């Protein structure tokens, strides 16, 4: 049975491109030059990317179990991660390059999950950085 998910993104003060693509690279949904977007009925095993000109793109891989894995990512501004379950750390999935997750000083990151949010080894929030974990 194919599972679907609904995603909502809100990025303060920025306009970017948000795209969901399936494993074979087929673009399922894409919106450009927005600071908020709702993507509905996205296939469960998709990759979701948020991209802005001259910035490193943020890519989240949502696996069949409904987990958003955050790995090899440095947050330097305001960002929200949303999912059924969220796991963040240096080695939380083999589907992405390994690397620490760092919330830099001055960054404000909110992780909103309807289930659980788990911070594992390799997650760091620097002094002056803000991490908020909230229910979805």
């Amino acid at each position: 049975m194919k599972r679907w998910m609904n995603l909502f993104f809100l990025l303060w003060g920025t306009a970017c491109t948000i795209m969901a693509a399936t494993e074979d690279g087929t673009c399922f949904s894409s919106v450009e030059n927005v600071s908020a977007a709702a993507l509905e009925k996205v296939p469960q095993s998709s990759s979701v990317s948020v991209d802005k000109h001259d910035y490193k793109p943020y890519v989240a891989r949502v696996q069949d179990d409904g987990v958003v894995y955050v790995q090899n990512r440095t947050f330097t501004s305001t960002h929200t991660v949303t999912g059924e379950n969220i796991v963040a750390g240096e080695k939380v999935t083999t589907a992405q390059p390994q690397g620490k997750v760092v919330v830099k000083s001055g960054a404000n990151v909110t992780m909103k999950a309807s289930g659980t949010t788990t911070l594992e080894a390799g997650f760091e929030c620097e002094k002056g950085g803000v991490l908020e974990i909230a229910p979805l």
Side-chain angles (χ1 to χ4, degrees), residues 44-109:
Q44 189 85 21
S45 58
S46 297
S47 293
V48 178
S49 67
V50 179
D51 192 14
K52 182 177 177 182
H53 181 69
D54 288 337
Y55 284 78
K56 179 180 176 183
Y58 172 73
V59 178
R61 170 93 175 116
V62 181
Q63 309 247 330
D64 289 331
D65 56 5
V67 177
V68 174
Y69 293 101
V70 182
Q71 181 172 284
N72 193 32
R73 175 75 172 142
T74 300
F75 294 99
T76 59
S77 61
T78 300
H79 190 83
T80 300
V81 178
T82 305
E84 184 177 329
N85 297 295
I86 300 169
V87 180
E90 187 171 11
K91 299 177 185 176
V92 295
T93 180
T94 58
Q96 298 176 20
Q98 292 183 358
K100 290 184 178 184
V101 177
V102 180
V103 179
K104 300 293 267 182
S105 178
N108 187 337
V109 176

Side-chain angles (χ1 to χ4, degrees), residues 116-135:
T116 61
T117 299
T118 306
L119 304 179
E120 295 193 359
F123 181 91
E124 176 184 343
C125 186
E126 292 182 353
K127 182 177 181 179
V130 175
L131 171 66
E132 177 186 357
I133 298 175

Side-chain angles (χ1 to χ4, degrees), residues 16-32:
C16 60
T17 299
I18 301 171
M19 182 181 77
T22 58
E23 285 183 357
D24 65 1
T26 302
C27 179
F28 179 79
S29 182
S30 180
V31 288
E32 295 183 16

